[in-house]
Amino acid sequence: MGSVQIVTTILAFAITAVAVWLAVRAVMKMVAVIRLGQPDPTRFGDKGTRTKTMLAETAGHTRMLRWSVVGAAHWFVMVGFVVLSLLVLEAYFEVVTPTGGLPLVGNWAIYGLVTEWLAILGIVSILVLIAIRLRNRPTRPGGKSRFTGSTMWQGYFVEGVILAVLIMGFVIRGFKVATDHFEYPVWAAPLSHAVGGLLPNWETGVSVAALVKIVISMTWLIVIALNVTMGVAWHRFLAFFNIFFKRDPGANVSGLGALRPMTSQGKPLDFEEADPESDQFGVAQVEQFTWKGLLDFSTCTECGRCQSQCPAWNTAKPLSPKLLVLSLRDHAYAKAPYLLAGGGKDLTGEEKATAAQLAHVDVLALAEAERPLIGTAEEGGVIDPDVLWSCTTCGACVEQCPVDIEHVDHIVDMRRYQVLIESSFPSEAGVMLRNLENKGNPWGAPQNTREDWTKGLDFEVPRVGEVDDFEYLFWVGCAGAFEDRAKKTTRAVATLLNEAGVKFAILGEGETCSGDPARRIGNEFVFQMLAQQNVETLNEAFEGREKSKRKIVATCPHCFNTLGNEYGQLGGEFEVVHHTQLLAHLVATGKLTPVQPVDGGVTYHDPCYLGRHNRVFAPPREVLGSAISGGDGASGDGGLIEMPRNSERSFCCGAGGARMWMEEKIGKRINVDRVEEAMATGARTVAVGCPFCSTMLNDGVNGKEAGEQVEVVDVASVLLRSVKPDQAPGGTDTERLSVAG
């Protein structure tokens, strides 16, 4: 060992010791902060599925590859980071001696080949990612960037380090080639040999270059260890755990569909026994999130994909799912010294720690602890109320997140405390909640008018109790029973089911609201009151039937989601289908036959709670395809035209999350944005599969005074107009559908 090697060895191991010590300290701090969260025992079951899903999403990059170029580039960088860590390890042998290398595999040509090409592709990929970050920088002229609000220096730093480490790997190999100490032939390491041809025969250069590589790598580790909120770096370690512990590892996208039940100390809350002084009602303090919530916040990569898809952010609302998560993350870590010292408020608001415990806590942590979780800027709040109430719970953020953060659950948990304990929510929603409690529907309509939609039909609609021999219970829903546009859809579905010979029955006045708007605004108490009543009614209607024969068809995706995904939490197990699914089956089996094609072009708007939340994409399109072609394959003029944002990336109508009953006062109206996109397709008809979407998009069309250019109508009405053009009920919405003779 020469003098240079002595120096390089001492420096390499010294900086490594410092970096490792700081990294261990950082990991211990992160674990301590995450463990401050509330228990969640549901995250540990089905370890086999969890492991399989985690490996698929990390090694297989199944979610990242939805963005083909970015996903492929990120995969090569990720694999390069893992595999080429061996080359960093190899550098420790090279600082000791220029001829050093990894034991065992270091002389294998196949190892040289694999690492060579991973390094080459890694350099190309990191340059692509840097270019994408530069192209989408927040300061670029025109348009919003998904990186707005991200800590940009951290992204550039991480990418720069990766690029530098990969380049230094070739410099080391190049010096080995130049000094004739390289282990691999040209075919296995062509770029290394090419670099070697440009470098001098300087044997010490290997050790010096290896030291530079180690210093760069350890500087990266030191920087991230000193910045535990640096998600753009830490996600490469935390993502494995965050994905493994996702809420439903078997689902296509965890965190969609059903909401996480309201819990206290890890157990579902029983409102008959719950006490606000001893049981947690929603989330009022950051430590009241579950440990998985705190892991979510720590894992955020700041990539902004959630932000780029969020309907609120895209229409100039203050909500960005990314910025919300980052605010909660930064608040949690800033407050952590106070909490770890024993500080915190009990459920009555009293301080739990003694003065002695808090005596040595940093003043900034104490100040952070006094900030309200929900509050305006003047109040020092972490999350502004306008941010909290802008969410439509559409799930676009959850759908897009590459590390499975469950944004909607966290937002609703904060809403729950605001509604149930603080009674703080948009005033106009109060009318809706009172109507739910007193009338059993959000419009406050008399219960004895629930069956008025049946009047005028040329067949009898059977009621449960009057008939026992029915295959489907037709869940009409509040909109389908009381809202004029939705009643046309209800009548169309009933007419089509009758035409197809499907035996169905309705609950009539026995039906009440499913509870979806109450639950998503945060009023879990009203939701459970309504849901338990409905579960009891439905269980009685299906008494004696096994689950596979307890079939419900619903026209509202919100009811469809609640009955199918959430009533199981309260003892209601049913097979629930959306009406477009049943209609698609009836058309496919020949029980409904379209006879006249629909003309003028049709575009379909995916309802969030049908498509993204429940993955029902094909059936509505199959129904529309059959109606457009008239069943004979001869498509009407225009055909089915997709909007740019469709299927899992469909843009929300703005009504979800109980926003249907809240005034949209900030920014552009979400429904107008969607209507403009629909009109840009040139389609004459905008087909929907949700009464909320129908209301919002119709209002958007009317707001643009475009009623003569485009109409909004349910998929069922489109099909009915094709199957029975002379009998389609419902006035203008269906009459205005044109047909190609």
Side-chain angles (χ1 to χ4, degrees):
M1 181 185 293
S3 58
V4 173
Q5 281 71 39
I6 292 174
V7 173
T8 56
T9 300
I10 292 172
L11 292 176
F13 282 89
I15 193 172
T16 300
V18 172
V20 170
W21 177 75
L22 290 173
V24 169
R25 190 183 69 167
V27 169
M28 291 175 65
K29 179 178 180 180
M30 295 179 78
V31 171
V33 170
I34 291 167
R35 291 184 64 185
L36 288 169
Q38 300 302 301
D40 188 352
T42 64
R43 304 285 178 169
F44 298 95
D46 200 359
K47 292 182 174 60
T49 301
R50 292 184 180 279
T51 301
K52 181 180 177 181
T53 300
M54 183 269 288
L55 291 174
E57 291 191 20
T58 53
H61 253 44
T62 51
R63 291 175 68 78
M64 281 295 297
L65 286 173
R66 295 175 182 179
W67 312 283
S68 53
V69 174
V70 175
H74 191 276
W75 186 87
F76 281 112
V77 171
M78 182 202 72
V79 173
F81 176 82
V82 174
V83 176
L84 299 180
S85 295
L86 291 174
L87 296 184
V88 176
L89 177 60
E90 188 175 35
Y92 286 94
F93 294 91
E94 293 162 340
V95 295
V96 176
T97 172
T99 60
L102 281 179
L104 300 178
V105 300
N107 293 315
W108 294 359
I110 189 64
Y111 171 74
L113 176 68
V114 170
T115 52
E116 178 87 357
W117 281 101
L118 280 177
I120 292 172
L121 294 172
I123 289 175
V124 172
S125 297
I126 200 65
L127 289 173
V128 168
L129 295 180
I130 291 172
I132 290 172
R133 187 177 293 272
L134 288 170
R135 188 184 67 194
N136 291 282
R137 65 192 184 282
T139 55
R140 82 194 197 287
K144 285 189 174 181
S145 166
R146 64 184 174 92
F147 292 115
T148 298
S150 298
T151 315
M152 295 300 287
W153 76 262
Q154 295 179 353
Y156 292 130
F157 172 76
V158 168
E159 290 164 346
V161 164
I162 293 171
L163 181 61
V165 167
L166 291 171
I167 290 172
M168 289 310 301
F170 283 108
V171 172
I172 294 169
R173 287 186 165 189
F175 275 122
K176 283 189 171 183
V177 170
T179 56
D180 202 25
H181 293 315
F182 196 45
E183 306 95 330
Y184 312 119
V186 175
W187 65 265
L191 183 56
S192 295
H193 279 274
V195 173
L198 302 175
L199 295 177
N201 183 358
W202 182 35
E203 196 164 277
T204 304
V206 175
S207 297
V208 172
L211 174 63
V212 172
K213 183 175 183 177
I214 290 170
V215 169
I216 293 172
S217 301
M218 292 306 108
T219 299
W220 175 82
L221 190 56
I222 290 169
V223 169
I224 73 167
L226 295 174
N227 292 273
V228 290
T229 59
M230 194 170 173
V232 70
W234 281 107
H235 82 273
R236 65 190 54 202
F237 306 112
L238 297 177
F240 297 97
F241 301 98
N242 209 54
I243 295 169
F244 181 87
F245 289 116
K246 66 162 69 178
R247 174 149 63 88
D248 185 357
N252 188 289
V253 180
S254 180
L256 295 179
L259 276 175
R260 180 177 168 274
M262 192 167 169
T263 61
S264 179
Q265 291 300 312
K267 298 177 182 178
L269 201 64
D270 183 349
F271 278 96
E272 293 184 1
E273 300 178 359
D275 180 355
E277 293 190 2
S278 58
D279 293 301
Q280 181 179 315
F281 280 57
V283 169
Q285 304 289 335
V286 72
E287 64 271 21
Q288 291 177 348
F289 287 106
T290 67
W291 63 263
K292 175 57 170 63
L294 295 177
L295 179 59
D296 271 359
F297 308 152
S298 302
T299 308
C300 179
T301 71
E302 304 189 23
C303 68
R305 287 186 176 84
C306 58
Q307 180 173 286
S308 69
Q309 300 295 311
C310 177
W313 179 259
N314 276 284
T315 52
K317 312 291 189 294
L319 168 64
S320 156
K322 178 186 71 177
L323 298 181
L324 179 139
V325 166
L326 297 187
S327 295
L328 293 171
R329 178 197 68 189
D330 294 345
H331 173 59
Y333 281 91
K335 187 178 180 181
Y338 159 78
L339 296 171
L340 293 171
K345 303 290 195 301
D346 63 21
L347 295 174
T348 63
E350 296 296 319
E351 176 59 58
K352 293 186 290 186
T354 64
Q357 286 177 296
L358 301 180
H360 302 291
V361 175
D362 183 80
V363 66
L364 295 177
L366 292 173
E368 193 73 26
E370 295 302 315
R371 297 180 65 192
L373 189 66
I374 307 298
T376 63
E378 292 76 15
E379 296 166 335
V382 178
I383 304 297
D384 191 278
D386 284 335
V387 169
L388 187 67
W389 297 110
S390 291
C391 180
T392 67
T393 70
C394 71
C397 49
V398 180
E399 170 75 39
Q400 293 296 316
C401 182
V403 293
D404 286 311
I405 293 172
E406 296 159 3
H407 311 72
V408 173
D409 283 345
H410 304 320
I411 289 172
V412 173
D413 270 341
M414 290 185 285
R415 285 183 171 187
R416 284 166 169 165
Y417 181 83
Q418 294 299 305
V419 172
L420 293 172
I421 302 300
E422 297 292 335
S423 296
S424 176
F425 50 86
S427 58
E428 60 268 28
V431 176
M432 177 268 291
L433 289 173
R434 287 192 294 273
N435 285 336
L436 287 177
E437 289 190 75
N438 300 325
K439 298 290 187 178
N441 68 84
W443 283 275
Q447 187 70 358
N448 60 10
T449 62
R450 268 196 181 268
E451 299 179 32
D452 284 1
W453 65 269
T454 64
K455 295 176 181 178
L457 293 175
D458 57 5
F459 58 92
E460 187 70 23
V461 177
R463 280 75 174 166
V464 172
E466 297 176 4
V467 294
D468 296 322
D469 184 23
F470 61 90
E471 182 181 5
Y472 286 93
L473 188 151
F474 181 15
W475 183 272
V476 176
C478 298
F482 301 122
E483 204 274 329
D484 288 340
R485 295 188 189 98
K487 283 195 284 187
K488 296 170 187 175
T489 300
T490 307
R491 291 163 62 87
V493 171
T495 302
L496 289 165
L497 295 182
N498 181 70
E499 175 73 12
V502 175
K503 293 181 179 180
F504 71 97
I506 63 171
L507 288 173
E509 294 182 25
E511 182 181 303
T512 190
C513 180
S514 68
D516 164 85
R519 187 169 226 196
R520 276 150 184 81
I521 203 174
N523 198 325
E524 185 75 4
F525 177 79
V526 171
F527 164 73
Q528 291 204 19
M529 178 186 73
L530 295 168
Q532 287 170 353
Q533 178 181 335
N534 282 326
V535 167
E536 183 178 340
T537 301
L538 290 167
N539 283 339
E540 183 179 339
F542 288 121
E543 188 173 3
R545 297 194 190 190
E546 58 191 48
K547 181 181 177 181
S548 62
K549 294 183 179 179
R550 296 157 67 93
K551 297 180 181 179
I552 299 174
V553 58
T555 57
C556 175
H558 298 265
C559 296
F560 164 69
N561 177 70
T562 303
L563 271 64
N565 294 328
E566 298 185 335
Y567 275 17
Q569 299 168 3
L570 300 169
E573 297 289 340
F574 314 108
E575 292 287 343
V576 187
V577 298
H578 188 252
H579 71 284
T580 58
Q581 293 175 296
L582 181 54
L583 294 179
H585 170 72
L586 295 175
V587 171
T589 55
K591 294 182 179 179
L592 289 174
T593 305
V595 293
Q596 292 196 47
V598 175
D599 201 0
V602 178
T603 189
Y604 174 63
H605 163 78
D606 289 272
C608 300
Y609 273 84
L610 181 63
R612 190 155 41 238
H613 279 274
N614 286 283
R615 324 310 294 176
V616 179
F617 301 120
R621 289 171 169 82
E622 292 168 1
V623 173
L624 292 172
S626 66
I628 291 168
S629 67
D632 60 4
S635 177
D637 179 37
L640 182 61
I641 310 166
E642 292 285 6
M643 285 183 261
R645 295 177 290 191
N646 65 77
S647 301
E648 68 273 6
R649 295 189 186 181
S650 178
F651 196 70
C652 183
C653 74
R659 289 292 322 173
M660 179 84 169
W661 291 274
M662 294 182 239
E663 186 56 43
E664 200 168 342
K665 301 174 182 176
I666 304 173
K668 183 179 182 180
R669 296 183 69 88
I670 294 173
N671 60 335
V672 171
D673 192 295
R674 186 57 165 169
V675 163
E676 289 173 352
E677 184 175 6
M679 292 179 63
T681 66
R684 179 76 173 81
T685 301
V686 179
V688 298
C690 172
F692 291 2
C693 296
S694 176
T695 296
M696 298 299 286
L697 297 188
N698 265 298
D699 287 352
V701 168
N702 293 336
K704 295 189 70 66
E705 299 181 349
E708 296 302 316
Q709 304 168 37
V710 65
E711 60 181 337
V712 180
V713 64
D714 191 87
V715 171
S717 295
V718 176
L719 179 62
L720 181 60
R721 188 65 182 89
S722 182
V723 172
K724 297 170 70 70
D726 57 333
Q727 296 184 31
T732 58
D733 275 359
T734 49
E735 289 170 0
R736 283 168 47 207
L737 273 170
S738 58
V739 293

